[in-house]
Amino acid sequence: MDLQLTDKVAVITGGSVGIGLAIARGLAAEGVHLALCARDGKRLRAVADTIKTDFPVRVIAVPADIATPGGVALLAGAVDAEFGGADILINNAGTGSEETILEAPDERWQAYWELHVMAAVRLARALAPGMKARGGGVILHNASICATQPLGYEPIYNVTKAALVMFSKCLANELIGDGIRVNAVNPGLVMTPDWQKTAKQLTAGTDTSWEAYLQKVADDNAPIGRFAEPEEIADLFVFLCSPRASYAVGSTYYIDGGWLRTT
Ligand code: NDP
C-alpha cells in the first residue's frame, strides 16, 4: 500500500526511544522528514544521526523540555527554520507515575498536566496554522489504555491521559474544517527500555528474573499474553498519518492485545 507520505514533515515529541523512536523510524521509512524532540540532547542527536544514515530523509534533533512554553517555542522555531512548518505532529512524550491521590501534592499534578496536556495544547497553537497553510495535516496523540481503564498505582497518569483524549476530540472538531485530522491512540503494554528498567529494579535481589516479572504482567493483563514491540504500535501511527486514513477523524484507537475489558 502506498501511504503517500514521501517528503512530508513530521514533528515527534519523545522521539529518542521507545514508541516515539519506532514511529520516527516508521515514518522515515516512508520518506518523511523529521523533527525529533526530547530533553536528553546526546541521546536524541545519536538517534537522529542513525536515522539519517538508515533512510534518505532530513532529520533535526531539537533538545527541549516540551512541558514548558519555552520548550514548545524552541521546537516550533526550529521546525520553522528547517522546514518552514510541518504536516504531521505526533504528541508522544509522556511518562508513568506512581502516587496516591491523598498524598500527591499540587505540584505533581501540575507537572503531569503540563507534560501530557499543555504540551499538546501549545504545540497545536504553534503548528496547526502552518499545517492549514500547507493544505492540511495530521495530529496524533499517544495517550494510553489507562485513559479509560485506570491502573491503580498511577492516578495522575490516568487522569491526565484521559484529559489528553478529550483534548484530542475537541481539537479534531476544531481543525477538521482546515483539513487537519486529529486522532488519539491508546496503547496497552509496550516493551520499552523503561519497562525493563523498572522490572530490573523491582526484581533485584529476588528469586524472580526481570523477564519473568514482565511475562507475569503480560499474562495478568493482556489476553494476547505478551507485550507489544514498539514497532507494532508505530505501524498504526504511520497508517493514521497517511492520506489512506482520510476518513479517520476525532477517534481513539486502542491497540492493546485485548487488554481493554469492554467493547
Ligand atoms: P519512554 O519513557 O520510553 O520515552 C519517553 C520519551 O519522551 C523519551 O524520548 C523522553 O526523552 C521523552 N520525554 C519525556 N519527558 C519529556 C519532556 N518533558 N520533554 C521532552 N521529551 C520528553 O516512553 P514510551 O515509549 O514507553 O512511551 C511513549 C508514550 O506512550 C508516552 O506518552 C506513554 O505514556 C505512552 N504509553 C506507553 C506505554 C508503554 O507500555 N510503554 C503504554 C501506553 C502508553 P527524555 O527523557 O530525553 O526527555
Side-chain angles (χ1 to χ4, degrees), residues 123-137:
L123 278 167
R125 282 199 304 246
L127 297 178
M131 284 183 188
K132 179 183 175 185
R134 289 158 85 94

Side-chain angles (χ1 to χ4, degrees), residues 142-166:
N142 192 0
S144 167
I145 190 173
C146 294
T148 306
Q149 183 170 278
L151 279 171
Y153 60 84
E154 51 183 1
I156 297 182
Y157 182 81
N158 302 330
V159 170
T160 51
K161 289 291 189 172
L164 179 62
V165 169
M166 180 53 84

